[in-house]
Amino acid sequence: MYVSASVMEAPTRGTVHLSDWQKSYFAIASGTCTPGQKADEYRAKILRIQYAWANSEISQVCAANLFKKYAEKYSAIIDSDNIETGLNNYAENILTLAKCQQNDSDKWQSALTTENVFGLKCVQERMQAGKKVQSSQLAPADALVLADKGISVSAAPCLPRLSAFSSTGDSECCAGSSKCVGQGPHLLEHPLSSKSLQSNVPPVTKTSDALPASSASLSEPIHTGFQAAPLFGNKEMTSGASLKIPGNYSDGQNLSLPNQSAGQAWSGKRKAFYGLTDKGSTATSSLAPCQASSTMEANAFSGNRNGSEESGVPGFRTAKEQLWVDQQKKPQSLQQRAPVSSYGGVKKSLGAGRSRGPFSKFVPPVPKQDGNENGGMQCKPHARGPTDPLLPVDERLKSIEPKMVELIMHEIMDHGPPVNWDDIAGVEFAKATIKEIVVWPMLRPDIFTGLRGPPKGILLFGPPGTGKTLIGKCIACQSGATFFSISASSLTSKWVGEGEKMVRALFAVARCQQPAVIFIDEIDSLLSQRGDGEHESSRRIKTEFLVQLDGATTSSEDRILVVGATNRPQEIDEAARRRLVKRLYIPLPEASARKQIVTRLMSKEHSCLSEEEIELIVKQSDGFSGADMTQLCREASLGPIRSLQSMDITTIMPEQVRPIAFVDFESAFGTVRPSVSSKDLELYETWNRTFGCGR
Ligand SMILES: Nc1ncnc2c1ncn2[C@@H]1O[C@H](COP(=O)(O)OP(=O)(O)OP(=O)(O)O)[C@@H](O)[C@H]1O
Ligand SMILES: [Mg+2]
């Protein structure tokens, strides 16, 4: 069965769906279903397809195919006037169309009017046919005629409805029917006289006071559910009778007979309605406003709704009505669901905001055919992001949980203050290498191809506080790539149990945002050696990461660079180490770099350090990391304030604070010590000699 293949993409839930599908398939195939039940089943299937697609259990292509198939089956039942297999309700179309003129806006005028609808040739033919059948088949006891010219209505199943009306004591229906019939000169003549029938018609609840008289006259037959009768005769009446069961699909059907010209138009409309391309649907576009307006929630399916209110179910709508109303409301509501995001695009949801379940808003799983140019790729964050429900979602993000995409887009993408290469003192070799393998290829991908292609993984390792994170930020600013900065600990702790999904989502989003740099600080905590005591979740994260890294490596067209930073390189798993091909040692700053740090920081402050004093500071700070140097300067900068002990800090003027002097550095050296021990340094040096890519 084709269904099974399509719904089994997700093994666990797919199995459940499969049995559901099978059950309903056998129910439909059993031959014992009424057309109404079949239509119910098909519509349920359509909803299930939608649900499965929304949950990424089936692909978009699969969903579109299934959807088309079942929409057609469903339409075939709804449209068919075959009493045994269909639920045709063509008359409602005609009357609704005619009614549109009154309900629609002033700007749009339907060619169909109350006067001419009954004059249509096709309607006449059907009426004549119905008349013949009716006169030959309809038992007088079962039949009622609502008006002097004989709008025949129904058969036994209608009677409960009529009897329900009788309690209200209003004769509006009869009057309305008379009017209606008076406007249609060629209505059926029922064997029973209109008078006798009129007397048989119980008063009907007045439900359409607000409607114009002519509208009321038409709407009454509609919401009594008998309007099919004069147009189709007994045959249709019988099928029409089943339509009066609340919830039946035929209630409120604005769909048509396949053989009628108007019917074809509506059939086309139906296909367009289901999002299926159909040449015929273009012909119906002019009818759409009528349909839309007539089915707006306020007035939609007034006949049915009124009918249902009469029957004590306020606000009840058949599934089909709801489908149509949802369809009409959808573009507007979707727009409302797309708030502007913080980074200039549209805050999008791949369905996260979508309520799930059988009663959720109907969203066809096929791409919109509205000529949206942005359809194929909407990867750039500043264009339309991957989570816009209006757009076809990038295939690569289909299997990713929407909330994770949101998290990555909103929380991980870095937008810190800009960092220049000049802000990083020393580490000239690392900087040159990074420029060569990261920045330039990103800027000129046309030149850096083939063997010159950039590596996909870099590891920055070295003692703490040497500028590894700073380099990461600089890459973000200078490469022009989309930058994802994530700390490994946040992957392992923040989304406990979901770490591997986050890793997958991270790479999936990055693939959509190419060129992209994924900077993973403290990568050792993510890719540490695998051991026996390791937690299952961290093992899964690691595996997923390695898989993704490989994916990034093997796909030559992907321009994703993973930059890892660690001060514990020896803890990194060997498999991960291999994948981070360029392992760059970021050592403690040399004298020149320390001087650069001091000079740059002091240039921003009020200081009076001579060249010699700076040299002395540099000499004395041997073994300090970049972070230590920064801390030393901070400490020294507080010296002038501390020397103002006699003065009130609250009243002091900035000019009264003396410049930072060498003496302040001397006292700062008393409190700031190097944070990296020589023993630790030895470890880094050794690891660099073994695995590093430095000179
Ligand atoms: N080479 C450098 N040039 C200028 N400033 C530096 C340099 N290295 C470190 N710093 C200063 O030290 C601070 C900390 O640096 P950073 O966070 O990049 O260190 P790290 O190598 O990532 O350390 P860790 O391994 O502990 O994460 C920076 O914000 C910066 O002020
Ligand atoms: Mg760091």
Side-chain angles (χ1 to χ4, degrees):
M1 189 165 69
Y2 62 90
V3 172
S4 59
S6 59
V7 296
M8 285 210 36
E9 288 179 16
T12 48
R13 279 180 292 183
T15 319
V16 176
H17 284 298
L18 181 63
S19 71
D20 284 353
W21 278 93
Q22 281 171 330
K23 251 187 254 164
S24 63
Y25 176 82
F26 290 127
I28 295 173
S30 69
T32 56
C33 281
T34 64
Q37 286 168 327
K38 273 190 184 174
D40 263 333
E41 275 303 334
Y42 285 135
R43 189 174 185 281
K45 277 199 192 316
I46 288 169
L47 280 175
R48 257 179 252 152
I49 294 163
Q50 178 208 358
Y51 186 75
W53 175 79
N55 282 305
S56 306
E57 288 165 18
I58 55 174
S59 71
Q60 180 167 331
V61 178
C62 171
N65 286 339
L66 283 174
F67 190 86
K68 184 171 186 295
K69 185 151 223 136
Y70 282 96
E72 279 170 357
K73 281 172 184 286
Y74 178 57
S75 298
I77 293 178
I78 296 293
D79 285 338
S80 169
D81 63 338
N82 184 317
I83 187 171
E84 272 152 21
T85 59
L87 290 171
N88 174 61
N89 203 7
Y90 174 64
E92 277 185 81
N93 293 333
I94 297 299
L95 293 171
T96 306
L97 282 174
K99 193 161 62 99
C100 275
Q101 197 195 8
Q102 281 80 40
N103 286 347
D104 208 346
S105 76
D106 300 339
K107 294 181 192 129
W108 190 85
Q109 291 286 310
S110 169
L112 288 167
T113 66
T114 311
E115 287 74 25
N116 70 18
V117 66
F118 289 105
L120 289 173
K121 191 165 171 278
C122 56
V123 177
Q124 296 263 327
E125 284 168 6
R126 299 299 300 176
M127 285 159 58
Q128 288 304 324
K131 180 182 164 187
K132 281 180 200 142
V133 176
Q134 190 180 27
S135 56
S136 63
Q137 292 180 2
L138 191 67
D142 287 347
L144 294 169
V145 174
L146 277 180
D148 27 340
K149 291 258 181 166
I151 290 185
S152 60
V153 277
S154 189
C158 305
L159 290 173
R161 176 73 67 95
L162 284 172
S163 59
F165 296 155
S166 65
S167 61
T168 58
D170 193 317
S171 60
E172 180 88 0
C173 178
C174 300
S177 300
S178 301
K179 266 187 223 170
C180 169
V181 174
Q183 287 161 356
H186 305 293
L187 294 175
L188 289 175
E189 287 186 19
H190 194 272
L192 295 175
S193 80
S194 61
K195 275 176 191 167
S196 66
L197 286 164
Q198 243 179 334
S199 64
N200 283 340
V201 178
V204 177
T205 310
K206 183 176 177 179
T207 55
S208 51
D209 292 318
L211 293 169
S214 58
S215 169
S217 70
L218 281 164
S219 68
E220 287 301 336
I222 290 172
H223 57 71
T224 55
F226 304 139
Q227 70 281 13
L231 300 176
F232 299 114
N234 195 37
K235 183 179 160 204
E236 288 77 14
M237 283 165 56
T238 316
S239 68
S242 70
L243 307 183
K244 287 183 278 294
I245 300 160
N248 191 294
Y249 286 104
S250 317
D251 252 331
Q253 270 310 327
N254 293 322
L255 301 168
S256 56
L257 267 175
N259 296 336
Q260 303 289 337
S261 56
Q264 281 161 353
W266 281 108
S267 180
K269 173 68 190 164
R270 177 194 296 286
K271 287 185 179 175
F273 159 68
Y274 282 116
L276 304 174
T277 48
D278 185 299
K279 283 173 190 165
S281 64
T282 54
T284 67
S285 57
S286 64
L287 296 175
C290 163
Q291 179 77 345
S293 68
S294 69
T295 53
M296 290 305 282
E297 275 196 285
N299 292 324
F301 308 99
S302 60
N304 303 299
R305 205 180 57 181
N306 291 340
S308 60
E309 278 164 6
E310 285 156 9
S311 58
V313 193
F316 173 81
R317 255 192 221 119
T318 64
K320 182 156 186 69
E321 291 164 16
Q322 188 59 51
L323 200 63
W324 175 257
V325 171
D326 285 353
Q327 188 72 19
Q328 294 302 316
K329 288 194 301 189
K330 190 163 49 176
Q332 194 191 359
S333 59
L334 282 175
Q335 279 160 17
Q336 286 166 352
R337 271 197 313 184
V340 176
S341 82
S342 54
Y343 52 90
V346 176
K347 191 173 181 179
K348 297 150 201 100
S349 163
L350 264 178
R354 188 186 303 150
S355 61
R356 304 271 169 83
F359 304 110
S360 65
K361 207 173 189 52
F362 184 87
V363 182
V366 289
K368 284 182 91 72
Q369 310 279 334
D370 56 2
N372 194 332
E373 299 293 319
N374 226 348
M377 284 280 287
Q378 73 297 348
C379 284
K380 276 292 168 193
H382 302 293
R384 309 194 77 171
T387 56
D388 190 338
L390 281 174
L391 294 173
V393 175
D394 193 298
E395 279 297 320
R396 291 168 292 191
L397 294 179
K398 269 294 174 62
S399 57
I400 308 297
E401 275 189 35
K403 70 165 191 239
M404 299 225 163
V405 176
E406 295 272 345
L407 276 174
I408 285 160
M409 298 296 286
H410 295 173
E411 291 184 16
I412 300 174
M413 211 176 284
D414 200 39
H415 298 279
V419 179
N420 287 314
W421 289 112
D422 292 340
D423 295 334
I424 304 163
V427 285
E428 297 305 333
F429 174 70
K431 283 201 284 187
T433 312
I434 289 166
K435 278 184 199 169
E436 191 182 294
I437 61 181
V438 180
V439 182
W440 295 344
M442 293 284 183
L443 297 175
R444 290 302 304 270
D446 53 327
I447 296 174
F448 290 85
T449 53
L451 282 180
R452 282 194 214 111
K456 300 293 170 81
I458 294 180
L459 178 69
L460 306 175
F461 69 94
T466 47
K468 299 181 291 296
T469 304
L470 209 58
I471 291 172
K473 287 179 180 168
C474 191
I475 295 171
C477 299
Q478 305 301 321
S479 66
T482 314
F483 193 76
F484 298 87
S485 173
I486 185 162
S487 137
S489 61
S490 68
L491 276 180
T492 49
S493 63
K494 193 169 179 183
W495 297 287
V496 176
E498 304 211 304
E500 82 266 25
K501 284 194 208 160
M502 274 302 285
V503 170
R504 207 175 313 140
L506 176 68
F507 277 87
V509 174
R511 279 195 189 96
C512 290
Q513 308 279 348
Q514 294 177 44
V517 173
I518 299 175
F519 181 72
I520 304 176
D521 220 347
E522 308 162 49
I523 200 168
D524 53 284
S525 62
L526 183 72
L527 300 177
S528 57
Q529 305 274 355
R530 284 170 279 194
D532 292 341
E534 195 181 17
H535 197 274
E536 172 66 17
S537 66
S538 72
R539 198 184 57 74
R540 283 208 309 265
I541 293 174
K542 202 179 304 170
T543 309
E544 183 64 45
F545 193 85
L546 294 178
V547 166
Q548 292 295 336
L549 257 183
D550 255 351
T553 314
T554 48
S555 177
S556 58
E557 65 270 17
D558 277 349
R559 291 203 291 143
I560 302 170
L561 173 74
V562 174
V563 180
T566 180
N567 51 28
R568 301 157 80 90
Q570 62 283 356
E571 290 191 8
I572 291 183
D573 186 278
E574 54 273 14
R577 195 173 60 220
R578 177 183 74 73
R579 286 163 173 84
L580 300 166
V581 231
K582 274 277 181 190
R583 296 176 286 272
L584 297 172
Y585 182 37
I586 312 296
L588 289 178
E590 295 168 344
S592 59
R594 296 199 301 276
K595 184 178 177 185
Q596 207 179 321
I597 292 172
V598 174
T599 312
R600 196 174 57 83
L601 290 176
M602 285 302 116
S603 69
K604 294 177 191 163
E605 306 294 326
H606 184 36
S607 72
C608 60
L609 289 172
S610 68
E611 191 67 24
E612 293 76 37
E613 286 169 334
I614 292 177
E615 288 295 341
L616 272 174
I617 294 166
V618 168
K619 212 170 162 191
Q620 217 176 319
S621 61
D622 189 27
F624 277 45
S625 67
D628 295 337
M629 289 307 291
T630 307
Q631 186 55 30
L632 181 75
C633 293
R634 280 173 169 275
E635 195 65 31
S637 70
L638 286 171
I641 309 292
R642 288 188 188 125
S643 66
L644 292 170
Q645 281 170 348
S646 56
M647 298 175 77
D648 186 359
I649 194 77
T650 55
T651 55
I652 200 169
M653 303 294 287
E655 319 66 81
Q656 288 178 284
V657 180
R658 68 166 175 79
I660 302 165
F662 182 66
V663 65
D664 300 316
F665 274 90
E666 278 185 320
S667 51
F669 273 119
T671 54
V672 180
R673 304 265 189 278
S675 55
V676 184
S677 72
S678 53
K679 195 170 144 239
D680 289 346
L681 215 54
E682 190 64 33
L683 276 173
Y684 291 115
E685 300 285 349
T686 313
W687 202 87
N688 184 35
R689 277 195 297 275
T690 320
F691 302 111
C693 300
R695 286 180 194 139

